[in-house]
Amino acid sequence: MTGATAVIYDGSALVALGAGNRLASQLVINTAHGPTRHVYVPTLCLAAADGTRKGLADHVGALPAAEIVELDFAGASAVGALIRDGVEWHLGHAIHLSRPTLDWPDGRPVVTATPELYADMPLVRTIRLPDKR
C-alpha cells in the first residue's frame, strides 16, 4: 500500500492502551488524520489482552480506528508453525501480520511493551512503548 502507514498492536500494547499509555493512544488517534494510516489488532492478541484486563476487547472493538484482524487459514497455518517453534500463541498472530506481504512489502511494525519477545523473529520490526503513561 504505497504511502500508507500501519502498525500491529500486540497484547501488551492493547493492555497499555487500556491503561492510558500516551504513545499507544496517540498512534490510535493519528489514524483519524487520513485513510492511509492503520492500526491493526490481531484477534488472538485481543483475546490475550482481554484475559489480562476485563472489558478491554469491548473497549478496543468500539474504537473506529482499530481494525480487528481475524485469523484466516493461512494465518492459522503460520501461527501453528510458530507455536511448534515455541512462540506463544497470541504473539504468533502479531508476528504473522507483521511480516512482509504483497500489500505490505516492508511489513508492519509491532507496537509492544515487550520487544524482547520478538528479538529472534526474522523480518519483525517493533516499536517499544515506554513504561510511563
Side-chain angles (χ1 to χ4, degrees):
M1 299 187 91
T2 305
T5 58
V7 293
I8 307 294
Y9 272 47
D10 76 357
S12 69
L14 294 169
V15 170
L17 176 67
N21 181 283
R22 283 192 185 134
L23 179 57
S25 298
Q26 191 61 50
L27 290 170
V28 171
I29 291 167
N30 285 345
T31 61
H33 297 297
T36 61
R37 296 176 184 243
H38 304 275
V39 171
Y40 293 106
V41 177
T43 53
L44 295 183
C45 294
L46 185 57
D50 192 68
T52 300
R53 187 178 180 105
K54 183 179 178 182
L56 189 58
D58 291 334
H59 172 71
V60 172
L63 296 172
E67 299 180 45
I68 310 299
V69 181
E70 296 177 1
L71 191 61
D72 60 9
F73 176 76
S77 179
V79 170
L82 288 166
I83 291 169
R84 283 191 303 279
D85 289 341
V87 174
E88 293 181 44
W89 57 272
H90 55 95
L91 296 177
H93 198 180
I95 291 166
H96 168 65
L97 292 178
S98 74
R99 290 187 169 156
T101 65
L102 289 175
D103 288 338
W104 300 100
D106 295 327
R108 297 170 278 187
V110 177
V111 177
T112 183
T114 54
E116 62 277 4
L117 296 177
Y118 300 92
D120 295 332
M121 292 293 112
L123 305 174
V124 177
R125 296 175 291 132
T126 59
I127 297 172
R128 181 184 187 90
L129 289 176
D131 295 333
K132 298 178 183 177
R133 291 178 131 222

